[in-house]
Amino acid sequence: MARLKPTQRQEFETIFAPIGSALASDLGMPETISQKTEILNKDTGLVEELPLYAGHLYALPETRLFPDTFTGWEESVLEAEQASGSLLGWYRNPVGGSHALSVHYLDSEVSKNLYPDFLFFHDDGDGGVAIDLVDPHNHSLADTSPKWAALARYVRENDGDFRRAAIVIKDTAGMLLAIQLSGQTDDSLEKKLAAATSKEAIEQLFRELGGSY
């Protein structure tokens, strides 16, 4: 949190406590968090140190780095954000707990929670913070359609909380593609995402509505 100015930190804390929202849990940020620094390599049986990344909101004070592990395209998304020149910090949204941003969705009539992967905090040029919500996801998984339809609904119903909200896939050529969820004025995108129930249908939707990340 030390990466943010006091005024920027206040804005961060205010925005991510969506009181009264039917879809999002309150996100209370602690002064410190716990994070693993090592991981067991299942192939070798050896304990290895996690890779270190710059710019995390809770980066180690002595190194300004933070240990974490990513899939290939999650790391590519982070690299793209870091290259923007305006990034103040990033937060890897945890799966569960009081410090996670969660969005409720139904999967085959079962109530579940989606935890979007990334929150990125950018300098807006006027001393404030522009907050981006980005969710890269393996779109071959069966839960993609209901998750992203619910996320689109959440972003629409909380319009103004984010400068940008995007869902991201990697195509067969290895390119990152994104559909912007922010700025929607009706539920048409949610319906299209809900109807895209296969990997091929998701990819077609990204060809129609998406662009390069």
Side-chain angles (χ1 to χ4, degrees):
M1 294 294 286
R3 293 180 61 84
L4 301 183
K5 299 175 184 177
T7 54
Q8 292 173 326
R9 177 176 171 179
Q10 179 60 45
E11 183 174 350
F12 164 74
E13 291 174 342
T14 300
I15 289 176
F16 285 92
I19 297 172
S21 170
L23 293 174
S25 65
D26 289 349
L27 184 65
M29 301 302 297
E31 287 298 320
T32 60
I33 62 173
S34 298
Q35 172 69 0
K36 294 188 297 183
T37 59
E38 298 176 330
I39 191 171
L40 177 65
N41 186 318
K42 295 181 180 179
D43 294 328
T44 65
L46 299 176
V47 175
E48 301 175 350
E49 291 188 355
L50 286 174
L52 297 174
Y53 297 90
H56 193 281
L57 287 180
Y58 292 92
L60 300 172
E62 60 272 21
T63 64
R64 311 298 291 175
L65 299 173
F66 188 82
D68 214 332
T69 182
F70 299 105
T71 66
W73 67 66
E74 288 171 346
E75 188 169 28
S76 297
V77 166
L78 177 58
E79 289 172 351
E81 294 291 328
Q82 289 175 326
S84 68
S86 62
L87 187 67
L88 293 168
W90 57 277
Y91 183 64
R92 182 83 175 277
N93 193 33
V95 178
S98 61
H99 308 306
L101 175 65
S102 65
V103 177
H104 303 298
Y105 71 100
L106 289 177
D107 186 5
S108 301
E109 303 305 317
V110 177
S111 181
K112 298 181 179 180
N113 289 315
L114 157 67
Y115 300 93
D117 279 338
F118 286 113
L119 300 171
F120 293 109
F121 306 88
H122 289 269
D123 190 329
D124 67 1
D126 294 317
V129 179
I131 303 177
D132 295 344
L133 173 68
V134 181
D135 189 45
H137 189 64
N138 180 353
H139 59 291
S140 66
L141 299 176
D143 63 1
T144 302
S145 175
K147 277 186 173 181
W148 278 352
L151 185 58
R153 178 187 171 197
Y154 166 72
V155 171
R156 177 174 59 83
E157 293 184 345
N158 293 273
D159 184 47
D161 282 0
F162 307 101
R163 175 184 67 173
R164 176 175 61 105
I167 51 178
V168 182
I169 67 170
K170 182 173 281 190
D171 67 11
T172 54
M175 297 291 294
L176 291 177
L177 301 176
I179 290 178
Q180 302 301 324
L181 303 182
S182 41
Q184 303 297 319
T185 58
D186 57 39
D187 63 357
S188 58
L189 179 57
E190 299 153 43
K191 291 179 178 178
K192 290 177 181 178
L193 287 166
T197 56
S198 68
K199 178 176 181 288
E200 293 74 21
I202 289 287
E203 290 175 350
Q204 179 60 35
L205 198 59
F206 271 76
R207 284 192 290 269
E208 294 174 1
L209 303 178
S212 298
Y213 184 78

mmCIF file of all heavy atoms in Angstrom, residues 91-125:
data_model
loop_
_atom_site.group_PDB
_atom_site.id
_atom_site.type_symbol
_atom_site.label_atom_id
_atom_site.label_comp_id
_atom_site.label_asym_id
_atom_site.label_seq_id
_atom_site.Cartn_x
_atom_site.Cartn_y
_atom_site.Cartn_z
ATOM 1 N N TYR A 91 -2.823 -5.824 -7.856
ATOM 2 C CA TYR A 91 -3.273 -6.702 -6.778
ATOM 3 C C TYR A 91 -3.813 -7.972 -7.401
ATOM 4 O O TYR A 91 -4.677 -7.920 -8.281
ATOM 5 C CB TYR A 91 -4.352 -6.001 -5.960
ATOM 6 C CG TYR A 91 -4.874 -6.775 -4.762
ATOM 7 C CD1 TYR A 91 -4.040 -7.095 -3.701
ATOM 8 C CD2 TYR A 91 -6.214 -7.155 -4.685
ATOM 9 C CE1 TYR A 91 -4.520 -7.785 -2.594
ATOM 10 C CE2 TYR A 91 -6.707 -7.841 -3.578
ATOM 11 C CZ TYR A 91 -5.855 -8.154 -2.541
ATOM 12 O OH TYR A 91 -6.330 -8.828 -1.441
ATOM 13 N N ARG A 92 -3.279 -9.102 -6.984
ATOM 14 C CA ARG A 92 -3.776 -10.408 -7.438
ATOM 15 C C ARG A 92 -4.946 -10.778 -6.537
ATOM 16 O O ARG A 92 -4.780 -11.070 -5.358
ATOM 17 C CB ARG A 92 -2.654 -11.443 -7.335
ATOM 18 C CG ARG A 92 -3.055 -12.848 -7.826
ATOM 19 C CD ARG A 92 -2.915 -12.931 -9.317
ATOM 20 N NE ARG A 92 -3.178 -14.273 -9.829
ATOM 21 C CZ ARG A 92 -2.294 -15.269 -9.853
ATOM 22 N NH1 ARG A 92 -1.074 -15.092 -9.368
ATOM 23 N NH2 ARG A 92 -2.619 -16.436 -10.381
ATOM 24 N N ASN A 93 -6.136 -10.724 -7.092
ATOM 25 C CA ASN A 93 -7.333 -10.975 -6.307
ATOM 26 C C ASN A 93 -7.313 -12.406 -5.774
ATOM 27 O O ASN A 93 -7.257 -13.357 -6.552
ATOM 28 C CB ASN A 93 -8.569 -10.754 -7.187
ATOM 29 C CG ASN A 93 -9.850 -10.676 -6.385
ATOM 30 O OD1 ASN A 93 -9.866 -10.201 -5.256
ATOM 31 N ND2 ASN A 93 -10.935 -11.139 -6.981
ATOM 32 N N PRO A 94 -7.346 -12.586 -4.453
ATOM 33 C CA PRO A 94 -7.297 -13.948 -3.918
ATOM 34 C C PRO A 94 -8.610 -14.689 -4.130
ATOM 35 O O PRO A 94 -9.655 -14.082 -4.372
ATOM 36 C CB PRO A 94 -7.023 -13.730 -2.426
ATOM 37 C CG PRO A 94 -7.575 -12.379 -2.138
ATOM 38 C CD PRO A 94 -7.378 -11.568 -3.390
ATOM 39 N N VAL A 95 -8.543 -15.995 -4.047
ATOM 40 C CA VAL A 95 -9.737 -16.830 -4.162
ATOM 41 C C VAL A 95 -10.300 -17.043 -2.762
ATOM 42 O O VAL A 95 -9.834 -17.893 -2.006
ATOM 43 C CB VAL A 95 -9.416 -18.178 -4.831
ATOM 44 C CG1 VAL A 95 -10.664 -19.049 -4.895
ATOM 45 C CG2 VAL A 95 -8.855 -17.954 -6.222
ATOM 46 N N GLY A 96 -11.279 -16.232 -2.406
ATOM 47 C CA GLY A 96 -11.910 -16.339 -1.104
ATOM 48 C C GLY A 96 -11.259 -15.443 -0.066
ATOM 49 O O GLY A 96 -10.205 -14.844 -0.285
ATOM 50 N N GLY A 97 -11.915 -15.331 1.068
ATOM 51 C CA GLY A 97 -11.405 -14.522 2.162
ATOM 52 C C GLY A 97 -11.982 -13.120 2.152
ATOM 53 O O GLY A 97 -12.642 -12.687 1.201
ATOM 54 N N SER A 98 -11.697 -12.382 3.225
ATOM 55 C CA SER A 98 -12.272 -11.047 3.397
ATOM 56 C C SER A 98 -11.606 -9.991 2.537
ATOM 57 O O SER A 98 -12.085 -8.861 2.459
ATOM 58 C CB SER A 98 -12.181 -10.631 4.871
ATOM 59 O OG SER A 98 -10.823 -10.584 5.290
ATOM 60 N N HIS A 99 -10.489 -10.331 1.890
ATOM 61 C CA HIS A 99 -9.763 -9.357 1.080
ATOM 62 C C HIS A 99 -9.893 -9.655 -0.412
ATOM 63 O O HIS A 99 -9.055 -9.251 -1.209
ATOM 64 C CB HIS A 99 -8.294 -9.321 1.490
ATOM 65 C CG HIS A 99 -8.101 -9.129 2.954
ATOM 66 N ND1 HIS A 99 -8.669 -8.080 3.646
ATOM 67 C CD2 HIS A 99 -7.434 -9.867 3.872
ATOM 68 C CE1 HIS A 99 -8.352 -8.181 4.922
ATOM 69 N NE2 HIS A 99 -7.620 -9.251 5.084
ATOM 70 N N ALA A 100 -10.953 -10.370 -0.773
ATOM 71 C CA ALA A 100 -11.177 -10.728 -2.172
ATOM 72 C C ALA A 100 -12.404 -10.015 -2.718
ATOM 73 O O ALA A 100 -13.405 -9.846 -2.021
ATOM 74 C CB ALA A 100 -11.358 -12.237 -2.307
ATOM 75 N N LEU A 101 -12.323 -9.603 -3.969
ATOM 76 C CA LEU A 101 -13.484 -9.088 -4.687
ATOM 77 C C LEU A 101 -14.177 -10.286 -5.324
ATOM 78 O O LEU A 101 -13.595 -10.972 -6.168
ATOM 79 C CB LEU A 101 -13.051 -8.095 -5.757
ATOM 80 C CG LEU A 101 -14.165 -7.558 -6.661
ATOM 81 C CD1 LEU A 101 -15.152 -6.729 -5.856
ATOM 82 C CD2 LEU A 101 -13.586 -6.733 -7.800
ATOM 83 N N SER A 102 -15.399 -10.566 -4.916
ATOM 84 C CA SER A 102 -16.111 -11.738 -5.419
ATOM 85 C C SER A 102 -17.394 -11.322 -6.119
ATOM 86 O O SER A 102 -18.047 -10.356 -5.727
ATOM 87 C CB SER A 102 -16.429 -12.718 -4.283
ATOM 88 O OG SER A 102 -17.336 -12.145 -3.361
ATOM 89 N N VAL A 103 -17.728 -12.058 -7.161
ATOM 90 C CA VAL A 103 -18.949 -11.835 -7.924
ATOM 91 C C VAL A 103 -19.716 -13.151 -7.946
ATOM 92 O O VAL A 103 -19.183 -14.188 -8.349
ATOM 93 C CB VAL A 103 -18.635 -11.379 -9.361
ATOM 94 C CG1 VAL A 103 -19.919 -11.227 -10.169
ATOM 95 C CG2 VAL A 103 -17.859 -10.067 -9.350
ATOM 96 N N HIS A 104 -20.952 -13.118 -7.512
ATOM 97 C CA HIS A 104 -21.767 -14.329 -7.459
ATOM 98 C C HIS A 104 -22.322 -14.667 -8.839
ATOM 99 O O HIS A 104 -22.692 -13.784 -9.608
ATOM 100 C CB HIS A 104 -22.921 -14.148 -6.470
ATOM 101 C CG HIS A 104 -22.481 -13.793 -5.088
ATOM 102 N ND1 HIS A 104 -21.701 -14.618 -4.323
ATOM 103 C CD2 HIS A 104 -22.699 -12.682 -4.342
ATOM 104 C CE1 HIS A 104 -21.463 -14.041 -3.156
ATOM 105 N NE2 HIS A 104 -22.043 -12.863 -3.149
ATOM 106 N N TYR A 105 -22.369 -15.971 -9.145
ATOM 107 C CA TYR A 105 -22.968 -16.414 -10.400
ATOM 108 C C TYR A 105 -23.599 -17.783 -10.197
ATOM 109 O O TYR A 105 -23.323 -18.477 -9.207
ATOM 110 C CB TYR A 105 -21.931 -16.456 -11.523
ATOM 111 C CG TYR A 105 -20.905 -17.565 -11.422
ATOM 112 C CD1 TYR A 105 -21.029 -18.738 -12.167
ATOM 113 C CD2 TYR A 105 -19.789 -17.447 -10.593
ATOM 114 C CE1 TYR A 105 -20.088 -19.751 -12.083
ATOM 115 C CE2 TYR A 105 -18.842 -18.451 -10.506
ATOM 116 C CZ TYR A 105 -18.996 -19.605 -11.252
ATOM 117 O OH TYR A 105 -18.064 -20.613 -11.161
ATOM 118 N N LEU A 106 -24.462 -18.162 -11.133
ATOM 119 C CA LEU A 106 -25.107 -19.468 -11.100
ATOM 120 C C LEU A 106 -24.515 -20.353 -12.180
ATOM 121 O O LEU A 106 -24.407 -19.952 -13.338
ATOM 122 C CB LEU A 106 -26.617 -19.338 -11.314
ATOM 123 C CG LEU A 106 -27.429 -18.726 -10.170
ATOM 124 C CD1 LEU A 106 -28.897 -18.610 -10.581
ATOM 125 C CD2 LEU A 106 -27.300 -19.561 -8.900
ATOM 126 N N ASP A 107 -24.139 -21.561 -11.792
ATOM 127 C CA ASP A 107 -23.617 -22.555 -12.730
ATOM 128 C C ASP A 107 -24.462 -23.810 -12.563
ATOM 129 O O ASP A 107 -24.372 -24.490 -11.543
ATOM 130 C CB ASP A 107 -22.147 -22.841 -12.427
ATOM 131 C CG ASP A 107 -21.510 -23.758 -13.463
ATOM 132 O OD1 ASP A 107 -22.176 -24.084 -14.460
ATOM 133 O OD2 ASP A 107 -20.344 -24.148 -13.266
ATOM 134 N N SER A 108 -25.320 -24.081 -13.562
ATOM 135 C CA SER A 108 -26.259 -25.208 -13.473
ATOM 136 C C SER A 108 -27.097 -25.118 -12.203
ATOM 137 O O SER A 108 -27.265 -26.102 -11.469
ATOM 138 C CB SER A 108 -25.509 -26.543 -13.533
ATOM 139 O OG SER A 108 -24.781 -26.651 -14.734
ATOM 140 N N GLU A 109 -27.587 -23.903 -11.939
ATOM 141 C CA GLU A 109 -28.457 -23.615 -10.792
ATOM 142 C C GLU A 109 -27.740 -23.714 -9.448
ATOM 143 O O GLU A 109 -28.380 -23.667 -8.396
ATOM 144 C CB GLU A 109 -29.688 -24.543 -10.789
ATOM 145 C CG GLU A 109 -30.523 -24.469 -12.053
ATOM 146 C CD GLU A 109 -30.981 -23.045 -12.370
ATOM 147 O OE1 GLU A 109 -31.400 -22.345 -11.437
ATOM 148 O OE2 GLU A 109 -30.905 -22.651 -13.547
ATOM 149 N N VAL A 110 -26.422 -23.846 -9.468
ATOM 150 C CA VAL A 110 -25.640 -23.870 -8.229
ATOM 151 C C VAL A 110 -24.981 -22.509 -8.038
ATOM 152 O O VAL A 110 -24.336 -21.994 -8.953
ATOM 153 C CB VAL A 110 -24.567 -24.978 -8.271
ATOM 154 C CG1 VAL A 110 -23.720 -24.947 -6.997
ATOM 155 C CG2 VAL A 110 -25.212 -26.340 -8.454
ATOM 156 N N SER A 111 -25.144 -21.909 -6.860
ATOM 157 C CA SER A 111 -24.565 -20.602 -6.576
ATOM 158 C C SER A 111 -23.072 -20.736 -6.306
ATOM 159 O O SER A 111 -22.649 -21.524 -5.454
ATOM 160 C CB SER A 111 -25.260 -19.974 -5.363
ATOM 161 O OG SER A 111 -24.718 -18.700 -5.086
ATOM 162 N N LYS A 112 -22.269 -19.961 -7.047
ATOM 163 C CA LYS A 112 -20.819 -19.992 -6.897
ATOM 164 C C LYS A 112 -20.277 -18.570 -6.899
ATOM 165 O O LYS A 112 -21.023 -17.612 -7.098
ATOM 166 C CB LYS A 112 -20.179 -20.808 -8.035
ATOM 167 C CG LYS A 112 -20.597 -22.270 -8.066
ATOM 168 C CD LYS A 112 -19.900 -23.019 -9.190
ATOM 169 C CE LYS A 112 -20.294 -24.480 -9.212
ATOM 170 N NZ LYS A 112 -19.607 -25.229 -10.305
ATOM 171 N N ASN A 113 -18.972 -18.437 -6.688
ATOM 172 C CA ASN A 113 -18.328 -17.129 -6.684
ATOM 173 C C ASN A 113 -17.203 -17.080 -7.703
ATOM 174 O O ASN A 113 -16.419 -18.030 -7.826
ATOM 175 C CB ASN A 113 -17.754 -16.801 -5.302
ATOM 176 C CG ASN A 113 -18.835 -16.522 -4.287
ATOM 177 O OD1 ASN A 113 -19.782 -15.801 -4.568
ATOM 178 N ND2 ASN A 113 -18.706 -17.105 -3.111
ATOM 179 N N LEU A 114 -17.142 -15.977 -8.421
ATOM 180 C CA LEU A 114 -16.043 -15.679 -9.335
ATOM 181 C C LEU A 114 -15.122 -14.673 -8.663
ATOM 182 O O LEU A 114 -15.590 -13.706 -8.052
ATOM 183 C CB LEU A 114 -16.593 -15.089 -10.641
ATOM 184 C CG LEU A 114 -15.658 -14.224 -11.495
ATOM 185 C CD1 LEU A 114 -14.527 -15.055 -12.072
ATOM 186 C CD2 LEU A 114 -16.430 -13.527 -12.605
ATOM 187 N N TYR A 115 -13.819 -14.900 -8.781
ATOM 188 C CA TYR A 115 -12.823 -13.977 -8.246
ATOM 189 C C TYR A 115 -11.969 -13.473 -9.407
ATOM 190 O O TYR A 115 -11.019 -14.147 -9.815
ATOM 191 C CB TYR A 115 -11.958 -14.678 -7.195
ATOM 192 C CG TYR A 115 -12.765 -15.209 -6.033
ATOM 193 C CD1 TYR A 115 -13.237 -16.522 -6.032
ATOM 194 C CD2 TYR A 115 -13.090 -14.387 -4.962
ATOM 195 C CE1 TYR A 115 -14.002 -17.007 -4.980
ATOM 196 C CE2 TYR A 115 -13.853 -14.864 -3.904
ATOM 197 C CZ TYR A 115 -14.306 -16.176 -3.917
ATOM 198 O OH TYR A 115 -15.065 -16.644 -2.873
ATOM 199 N N PRO A 116 -12.318 -12.315 -9.994
ATOM 200 C CA PRO A 116 -11.537 -11.787 -11.119
ATOM 201 C C PRO A 116 -10.056 -11.700 -10.758
ATOM 202 O O PRO A 116 -9.703 -11.344 -9.633
ATOM 203 C CB PRO A 116 -12.148 -10.401 -11.353
ATOM 204 C CG PRO A 116 -13.515 -10.479 -10.764
ATOM 205 C CD PRO A 116 -13.404 -11.400 -9.599
ATOM 206 N N ASP A 117 -9.192 -11.988 -11.717
ATOM 207 C CA ASP A 117 -7.773 -12.186 -11.419
ATOM 208 C C ASP A 117 -7.041 -10.942 -10.934
ATOM 209 O O ASP A 117 -6.301 -10.990 -9.958
ATOM 210 C CB ASP A 117 -7.049 -12.727 -12.659
ATOM 211 C CG ASP A 117 -7.237 -14.224 -12.815
ATOM 212 O OD1 ASP A 117 -7.537 -14.888 -11.806
ATOM 213 O OD2 ASP A 117 -7.092 -14.730 -13.930
ATOM 214 N N PHE A 118 -7.200 -9.822 -11.647
ATOM 215 C CA PHE A 118 -6.324 -8.680 -11.406
ATOM 216 C C PHE A 118 -7.092 -7.388 -11.158
ATOM 217 O O PHE A 118 -8.102 -7.110 -11.806
ATOM 218 C CB PHE A 118 -5.420 -8.423 -12.619
ATOM 219 C CG PHE A 118 -4.306 -9.398 -12.802
ATOM 220 C CD1 PHE A 118 -4.298 -10.250 -13.891
ATOM 221 C CD2 PHE A 118 -3.246 -9.453 -11.908
ATOM 222 C CE1 PHE A 118 -3.260 -11.147 -14.088
ATOM 223 C CE2 PHE A 118 -2.201 -10.341 -12.098
ATOM 224 C CZ PHE A 118 -2.207 -11.194 -13.188
ATOM 225 N N LEU A 119 -6.554 -6.579 -10.253
ATOM 226 C CA LEU A 119 -6.917 -5.177 -10.118
ATOM 227 C C LEU A 119 -5.649 -4.377 -10.383
ATOM 228 O O LEU A 119 -4.630 -4.585 -9.719
ATOM 229 C CB LEU A 119 -7.447 -4.878 -8.716
ATOM 230 C CG LEU A 119 -8.700 -5.650 -8.297
ATOM 231 C CD1 LEU A 119 -8.985 -5.421 -6.823
ATOM 232 C CD2 LEU A 119 -9.890 -5.252 -9.143
ATOM 233 N N PHE A 120 -5.705 -3.477 -11.365
ATOM 234 C CA PHE A 120 -4.561 -2.635 -11.713
ATOM 235 C C PHE A 120 -4.893 -1.187 -11.361
ATOM 236 O O PHE A 120 -5.992 -0.702 -11.651
ATOM 237 C CB PHE A 120 -4.236 -2.743 -13.203
ATOM 238 C CG PHE A 120 -3.730 -4.097 -13.616
ATOM 239 C CD1 PHE A 120 -4.516 -4.940 -14.382
ATOM 240 C CD2 PHE A 120 -2.469 -4.533 -13.237
ATOM 241 C CE1 PHE A 120 -4.059 -6.193 -14.767
ATOM 242 C CE2 PHE A 120 -1.997 -5.783 -13.610
ATOM 243 C CZ PHE A 120 -2.797 -6.615 -14.381
ATOM 244 N N PHE A 121 -3.922 -0.493 -10.770
ATOM 245 C CA PHE A 121 -4.113 0.874 -10.300
ATOM 246 C C PHE A 121 -3.172 1.793 -11.070
ATOM 247 O O PHE A 121 -1.951 1.685 -10.949
ATOM 248 C CB PHE A 121 -3.848 0.949 -8.796
ATOM 249 C CG PHE A 121 -4.672 -0.039 -8.019
ATOM 250 C CD1 PHE A 121 -4.207 -1.327 -7.792
ATOM 251 C CD2 PHE A 121 -5.927 0.303 -7.553
ATOM 252 C CE1 PHE A 121 -4.971 -2.255 -7.105
ATOM 253 C CE2 PHE A 121 -6.701 -0.616 -6.865
ATOM 254 C CZ PHE A 121 -6.225 -1.895 -6.641
ATOM 255 N N HIS A 122 -3.760 2.686 -11.868
ATOM 256 C CA HIS A 122 -2.986 3.574 -12.728
ATOM 257 C C HIS A 122 -3.130 5.022 -12.282
ATOM 258 O O HIS A 122 -4.197 5.439 -11.802
ATOM 259 C CB HIS A 122 -3.458 3.454 -14.180
ATOM 260 C CG HIS A 122 -3.084 2.166 -14.835
ATOM 261 N ND1 HIS A 122 -1.917 2.006 -15.545
ATOM 262 C CD2 HIS A 122 -3.721 0.965 -14.887
ATOM 263 C CE1 HIS A 122 -1.850 0.768 -16.011
ATOM 264 N NE2 HIS A 122 -2.927 0.116 -15.625
ATOM 265 N N ASP A 123 -2.073 5.794 -12.460
ATOM 266 C CA ASP A 123 -2.136 7.242 -12.260
ATOM 267 C C ASP A 123 -3.020 7.820 -13.359
ATOM 268 O O ASP A 123 -2.780 7.590 -14.546
ATOM 269 C CB ASP A 123 -0.724 7.818 -12.351
ATOM 270 C CG ASP A 123 -0.654 9.273 -11.915
ATOM 271 O OD1 ASP A 123 -1.649 10.005 -12.090
ATOM 272 O OD2 ASP A 123 0.406 9.682 -11.413
ATOM 273 N N ASP A 124 -4.059 8.561 -12.962
ATOM 274 C CA ASP A 124 -4.974 9.093 -13.971
ATOM 275 C C ASP A 124 -4.517 10.430 -14.545
ATOM 276 O O ASP A 124 -5.206 11.033 -15.367
ATOM 277 C CB ASP A 124 -6.391 9.223 -13.411
ATOM 278 C CG ASP A 124 -6.516 10.281 -12.320
ATOM 279 O OD1 ASP A 124 -5.501 10.946 -11.995
ATOM 280 O OD2 ASP A 124 -7.629 10.447 -11.785
ATOM 281 N N GLY A 125 -3.339 10.906 -14.102
ATOM 282 C CA GLY A 125 -2.808 12.156 -14.614
ATOM 283 C C GLY A 125 -3.247 13.382 -13.852
ATOM 284 O O GLY A 125 -2.720 14.477 -14.066
#
